[in-house]
Amino acid sequence: MNITIVGTGYVGLVTGTCLAEVGNHVLCVDSDQAKIDALNSGEIPIHEPGLDELVAKNVEAKRLRFTTEIRQGVAHGEIIFIAVGTPPDEDGGADLRHVLAVAGDIGRYIEEYRIVVTKSTVPVGTTDKVCGVLTDTIRGRDLAIDFSVASNPEFLKEGAAIDDFMKPDRILVGANDARAVERMRALYAPFNRSHDRMIVMDVPSAELTKYAANSLLATKISFMNEMANLAERLGADIESVRQGIGADPRIGYHFIYPGCGYGGSCFPKDVQALQRTASGKGYDARVLNAVEQVNNAQKYVLLHKIDEYFGAGRLDGARIALWGLAFKPNTDDMREAPSRVVLEGLWERGARVAAFDPVAHKEAKRIYGERDDLVLAEDPYDALDGAEALVIVTEWKIFRSPDLAAMKARMKNPLVFDGRNIFDPGQLTRHGFEYRGIGRTNHA
C-alpha cells in the first residue's frame, strides 16, 4: 500500500519506518526542512534503539522517503496518518492547531478517495473536527470528493517502540464506516498473523482509550509513590510491599515501582489533557487531579532528602554527582524529566553537578547550554570524583551493578540518594555507604 505519514517526530518516524519494513511504500512529510534534510542524509533526530538501522534499510530499499511537500504526500497515500505534535496549551489541554492545519492541507490537495487517520494523541472529538475541516475545505473548492476518517492511537513505549509496533499487544481502530475498517485491516494484516490483535470501536471510544490507558498507568505510579512516602513514616519497606501486592494477579508487577516521579512526553501531557476534557464537560476528575499533584510533588522528594541530610544552605560549592538525565532508560528524552527538577534545585542550592547519562548529554546541552556548575561526564565513575553525594534519577541498566569499591574511592563522601531504588540498601551499607532510597528509610 502507499502510505503517507504527516509528522516525522517520534510517533510518525517509528510508524512510517515500521510500515515500510513490512513492504508498504511510505512517504513521510514534515514542514521542518532541516529535519527532512537530516533524515535524507541518514541522520535520525531521536534516540530509539534499532531505529537508525531500520530507517537506513528501508530508505535503501526505496520503501521509505522524506519530503516537505504536503501536496505530494496527499497524492501518494491511500491512507494518510496525521502524526504531528499536540503540545499542552496554556490551560493544560492539547493544542490541536497542527492537527487541524494538516487536515486543512489535505482538504486543499485531495483529488480522490483517501482515509485520513489521527495517529497523534488527541482529545475525544478531534477526529470529528478533522472531518469537519476536510468537509469544509473540499466544499470550498466546489468539489465532492469522498473520504473517510479514523482514529488509530499509538501505544509505543520510548526505548521499545519498534518491538511495540512490530509485535503489538493491541491495534485500536476507531471508525464509523466499513470501507475504512477494511483497508485498516489490510494495512495491519502483517502484524496479525498469530491472532487478531485489532480492536474496532467507535471513534470517541478509541480516542478516550488512549488517554485512559496512559492515565491509569500514571495512577499506578503515583499510588506507589504515595505508599512509598507513607512507608517511610511507618518504618515499612516499600520493596517488600511492592512484592507483596504484585503477587496478586489482579494487580501484577507492572508500573508499581516507586521513584522520583514520572516524566516524558506522554503521561504528564495526557493526564493534563484528560483533566481538561473532564473540566470542559463540567466534571471534576478528582483522581486525575490527585495523580498529577502527587507526581509533581514526588519530583522534589530527592531534594527534600538532600536538604534533610546536608541542612539548608550547606551545598554552596559542593560537587554532587547525578546519574541519569533522560526521563527513562533507552531514550534521550528529557521532557518533564525528574532530572530537570533535581538539577535546577541543586543549582539553586549552590551545588556544582557532574552528570552522566548514556545518551542524553546532547539533549542536556541543548536545554541548559554551557554552565560552570554543570559537567557532563563521559563515564559514570568520572562523575563521582570528589562528589559529596551521588543522586540516581534514571534506572539505566549500566547503573545496576557498579564497582562499589571504585565508587567509594572516588567519592569525597560515600552517600547515595537512590531515586529509583535500584540498589540493595544492605549491600551499600556493608560497603561503607550511607543510603537514602524511596520508601526504604529504615532498611538501609
Side-chain angles (χ1 to χ4, degrees):
M1 298 173 73
N2 288 342
I3 304 297
T4 293
I5 311 287
V6 185
T8 59
Y10 189 88
V11 172
L13 186 57
V14 171
T15 299
T17 303
C18 290
L19 289 174
E21 175 67 9
V22 296
N24 297 293
H25 293 274
V26 179
L27 181 62
C28 292
V29 182
D30 200 293
S31 60
D32 187 336
Q33 184 69 58
K35 183 184 289 188
I36 293 299
D37 290 343
L39 286 165
N40 280 325
S41 64
E43 298 176 25
I44 307 302
I46 59 175
H47 176 84
E48 179 61 36
L51 182 60
D52 49 355
E53 295 93 339
L54 213 58
V55 169
K57 173 185 174 183
N58 284 281
V59 167
E60 184 178 2
K62 302 188 186 308
R63 292 191 299 266
L64 181 62
R65 296 180 293 128
F66 304 99
T67 183
T68 58
E69 297 296 326
I70 184 65
R71 187 170 194 162
Q72 183 182 352
V74 176
H76 172 82
E78 173 188 350
I79 301 176
I80 303 172
F81 286 92
I82 301 178
V84 294
T86 54
D89 57 23
E90 292 181 358
D91 63 4
D95 186 344
L96 300 177
R97 286 178 295 175
H98 302 302
V99 170
L100 298 180
V102 172
D105 289 338
I106 295 170
R108 273 187 286 278
Y109 298 121
I110 188 171
E111 297 292 342
E112 57 183 319
Y113 177 78
R114 292 289 183 261
I115 301 170
V116 180
V117 181
T118 52
K119 194 71 173 172
S120 305
T121 300
V122 293
V124 176
T126 300
T127 304
D128 285 346
K129 291 180 180 178
V130 167
C131 183
V133 171
L134 284 164
T135 300
D136 292 344
T137 308
I138 294 169
R139 186 179 295 131
R141 297 168 57 199
D142 292 325
L143 297 174
I145 301 172
D146 194 19
F147 66 89
S148 298
V149 295
S151 171
N152 177 217
E154 52 85 17
F155 296 96
L156 306 177
K157 299 186 296 290
E158 292 193 39
I162 292 173
D163 274 350
D164 285 346
F165 198 101
M166 302 300 289
K167 303 172 185 176
D169 47 25
R170 79 278 208 199
I171 302 165
L172 252 62
V173 173
N176 299 322
D177 69 86
R179 187 177 183 183
V181 171
E182 183 273 328
R183 297 311 293 152
M184 293 296 284
R185 282 196 184 280
L187 176 65
Y188 281 114
F191 309 96
N192 274 323
R193 290 184 63 82
S194 64
H195 64 277
D196 189 5
R197 298 176 174 89
M198 189 162 151
I199 305 171
V200 179
M201 58 185 69
D202 60 88
V203 171
S205 296
E207 292 172 328
L208 181 57
T209 297
K210 169 63 177 182
Y211 279 110
N214 278 354
S215 296
L216 180 56
L217 295 174
T219 300
K220 293 182 73 172
I221 294 171
S222 282
F223 177 82
M224 282 305 293
N225 284 333
E226 285 271 61
M227 292 301 100
N229 297 336
L230 183 58
E232 291 186 3
R233 290 156 175 81
L234 297 174
D237 181 8
I238 194 61
E239 176 61 15
S240 297
V241 175
R242 183 189 69 80
Q243 293 180 25
I245 66 174
D248 186 332
R250 297 171 301 175
I251 298 172
Y253 292 101
H254 293 298
F255 285 84
I256 60 169
Y257 289 87
C260 50
Y262 60 75
S265 63
C266 294
F267 287 6
K269 175 172 70 74
D270 292 353
V271 170
Q272 290 175 15
L274 193 52
Q275 286 176 286
R276 178 61 180 168
T277 296
S279 177
K281 294 297 182 180
Y283 182 74
D284 181 15
R286 290 170 292 178
V287 171
L288 294 177
N289 298 339
V291 168
E292 184 180 25
Q293 291 167 9
V294 168
N295 188 63
N296 290 339
Q298 197 70 14
K299 292 181 179 182
Y300 289 87
V301 163
L302 287 171
L303 291 172
H304 296 328
K305 291 179 180 292
I306 291 168
D307 287 341
E308 288 171 4
Y309 183 90
F310 288 100
R314 295 287 300 278
L315 286 181
D316 194 27
R319 180 178 171 114
I320 303 295
L322 188 144
W323 282 2
L325 293 166
F327 85 92
K328 63 180 282 188
N330 298 320
T331 181
D332 61 352
D333 194 343
M334 290 180 62
R335 286 174 289 183
E336 303 283 343
S339 65
R340 298 176 66 165
V341 172
V342 175
L343 273 173
E344 292 161 17
L346 289 171
W347 290 332
E348 289 173 2
R349 289 158 173 79
R352 296 176 296 113
V353 179
F356 172 80
D357 188 285
V359 301
H361 282 188
K362 184 177 179 180
E363 181 66 4
K365 283 184 179 179
R366 185 192 69 80
I367 294 170
Y368 294 114
E370 298 291 336
R371 297 178 59 113
D372 293 337
D373 51 8
L374 175 62
V375 174
L376 296 173
E378 295 299 322
D379 179 270
Y381 295 94
D382 291 344
L384 300 175
D385 287 334
E388 297 278 359
L390 166 63
V391 183
I392 299 172
V393 187
T394 313
E395 63 275 32
W396 285 94
K397 287 183 179 178
I398 193 176
F399 302 151
R400 292 184 181 274
S401 298
D403 184 334
L404 296 178
M407 287 175 61
K408 187 177 179 183
R410 298 183 76 157
M411 296 179 71
K412 182 177 179 180
N413 181 32
L415 168 65
V416 174
F417 294 96
D418 186 354
R420 297 298 177 186
N421 288 352
I422 64 173
F423 291 149
D424 174 17
Q427 183 185 26
L428 261 68
T429 300
R430 289 191 295 272
H431 280 80
F433 286 84
E434 291 186 77
Y435 179 87
R436 301 289 185 274
I438 306 294
R440 312 202 71 182
T441 299
N442 295 335
H443 299 269

